[in-house]
Amino acid sequence: MTNLKVLVSSNDFPDSGLQILREHFTVVQSPYSHFGEEGATQNKEELLKLIPGSSALVWVTHHPLTKELLDKAGPQLKIVATASAGYNHANVEELKARGIKLSNTPNVLSSAVAEIAVSLMLATARRFTENLDQVRRGEWEAGFVKVLGQDIRGSTVGVIGLGGIGQAVVKRLAGFEVAKFLYTGHREKPEAKALGAEFVNLDDLLTKSDFILLAVPLTSETRHMINSTTLGKMKSNAILINVGRGDLVDQEALYDALKSKKIYAAGLDVTTPEPLPKDHKLLTLPNIFVLPHIGSATVRTRNDMAVLTSNNVVNALTGKPLITPILE
């Protein structure tokens, strides 16, 4: 098997994953990062040079996997293994048409992403953007009723997508004295009963929740599921949290809702585009808190993701079932 070529798309794939691949295959790794501007320019050209003859592609990026790259790879490409839970960037229909397997890394990042979701809830409810600005300016607003925030205690938390991440968030909020957990999705989840979460339709969740968490994959169905219509159904004190993908939210509609205070606040770990330009109008608002897509960014989690990605490649190229398949 050592004659099989595996291409790793970025220079920052953890050694924990590389070691597994190198035990079995010939590993070629791009010298460039596949994130940001470098990924879109230098690395794109480098990957076109490196990809011919690859049996597997370890896709460490949020950049789209193009038809051009797949054409360059050749017919021996057997698997694309994404180092991410989301796979909207992996050109699923094209891979399916070519009979190429696809895997992702769900579950191993649920805990880390859930911690960021809870952090965003706290940051937005307690108005961190405004309060940090006070500290930086050295002008603190003194007073008993100045810059007051909202409580998680006694609130209704609505989860759109009670998968691994959504469930991990509910578990972490158990000590916050939340009054009620609601969730919605295609069907009821057997795990929900133990979590004390009630299945409702989307409209009920939007109209009743104080916090609304987006934890669903980006698909044609979920793209811009948060828009002017759905924002209009939310309570005036509602706080929107997005740890899924940026395009779940129509950011123009979100800006309008935050600017006019139709909703209370938003906390985003994902945006469109990424990185969000420093002069983007969302960043002019006091009632938004934005993080640079760091949901899974812990040492342990990224190593776990790398190991799972690599083991999926090993299984695919040695005739074993994928551990976390999207396409088999």
Side-chain angles (χ1 to χ4, degrees):
M1 303 299 291
T2 55
N3 63 324
L4 295 181
K5 176 180 172 180
V6 175
L7 175 60
V8 178
S9 74
S10 185
N11 64 6
D12 59 354
F13 189 62
D15 286 341
S16 55
L18 289 172
Q19 288 173 7
I20 293 169
L21 295 173
R22 286 171 177 156
E23 288 175 8
H24 298 86
F25 314 113
T26 298
V27 178
V28 178
Q29 185 176 16
S30 173
Y32 299 108
S33 169
H34 205 182
F35 291 85
E37 186 60 28
E38 182 176 319
T41 54
Q42 291 170 283
N43 203 27
K44 179 183 177 182
E45 294 305 313
E46 186 71 14
L47 291 176
L48 288 169
K49 296 175 187 175
L50 296 177
I51 201 170
S54 297
S55 295
L57 178 58
V58 174
W59 200 241
V60 193
T61 182
H62 301 300
H63 284 300
L65 178 59
T66 64
K67 185 175 182 294
E68 181 184 17
L69 277 164
L70 294 173
D71 288 341
K72 283 277 188 179
Q76 78 297 316
L77 183 64
K78 296 293 188 293
I79 179 171
V80 172
T82 69
S84 60
Y87 49 88
N88 56 289
H89 58 306
N91 208 341
V92 176
E93 291 305 314
E94 190 65 31
L95 293 179
K96 188 175 182 180
R98 296 173 187 240
I100 298 170
K101 296 179 180 182
L102 174 64
S103 66
N104 67 336
T105 59
N107 304 324
V108 293
L109 49 66
S110 295
S111 293
V113 177
E115 290 169 3
I116 287 296
V118 174
S119 299
L120 286 170
M121 290 176 66
L122 291 166
T124 48
R126 301 301 296 271
R127 299 169 67 171
F128 275 20
T129 298
E130 293 165 88
N131 284 304
L132 286 170
D133 183 57
Q134 288 188 52
V135 174
R136 290 174 181 136
R137 289 186 287 108
E139 299 174 5
W140 296 19
E141 292 189 36
F144 196 64
V145 292
K146 295 287 187 179
V147 200
L148 301 185
Q150 294 188 177
D151 288 292
I152 295 178
R153 177 188 55 168
S155 68
T156 295
V157 176
V159 181
I160 301 178
L162 195 70
I165 293 170
Q167 291 172 35
V169 172
V170 173
K171 289 175 183 176
R172 279 153 182 77
L173 290 174
F176 282 80
E177 302 175 47
V178 171
K180 184 181 289 187
F181 291 106
L182 306 177
Y183 77 100
T184 193
H186 288 133
R187 63 191 68 85
E188 292 190 51
K189 292 291 184 78
E191 302 89 347
K193 185 175 181 181
L195 295 172
E198 177 188 347
F199 184 71
V200 296
N201 62 42
L202 179 60
D203 278 358
D204 277 351
L205 186 145
L206 294 173
T207 57
K208 295 177 180 178
S209 298
D210 303 298
F211 294 88
I212 296 168
L213 171 69
L214 300 179
V216 290
L218 177 62
T219 65
S220 57
E221 178 187 3
T222 62
R223 185 179 299 274
H224 285 191
M225 69 182 305
I226 301 301
N227 50 50
S228 58
T229 300
T230 49
L231 285 161
K233 295 177 180 180
M234 296 180 190
K235 298 163 71 172
S236 60
N237 71 307
I239 294 175
L240 177 70
I241 304 296
N242 188 7
V243 293
R245 286 290 183 265
D247 275 337
L248 297 174
V249 177
D250 178 345
Q251 289 181 175
E252 286 293 325
L254 178 62
Y255 174 83
D256 291 342
L258 292 170
K259 179 76 172 176
S260 62
K261 298 186 178 177
K262 288 180 181 176
I263 66 171
Y264 187 80
L268 312 177
D269 186 44
V270 287
T271 61
T272 303
E274 292 180 359
L276 197 66
K278 63 182 180 181
D279 59 351
H280 194 282
K281 61 184 180 180
L282 276 174
L283 299 178
T284 66
L285 298 172
N287 53 345
I288 192 168
F289 194 84
V290 180
L291 292 173
H293 203 152
I294 60 168
S296 65
T298 71
V299 173
R300 176 178 176 177
T301 300
R302 290 287 165 85
N303 278 318
D304 289 346
M305 292 168 71
V307 168
L308 178 54
T309 301
S310 296
N311 282 328
N312 272 316
V313 169
V314 172
N315 282 19
L317 298 185
T318 57
K320 298 175 184 175
L322 296 179
I323 303 165
T324 49
I326 300 300
L327 297 174
E328 285 192 288

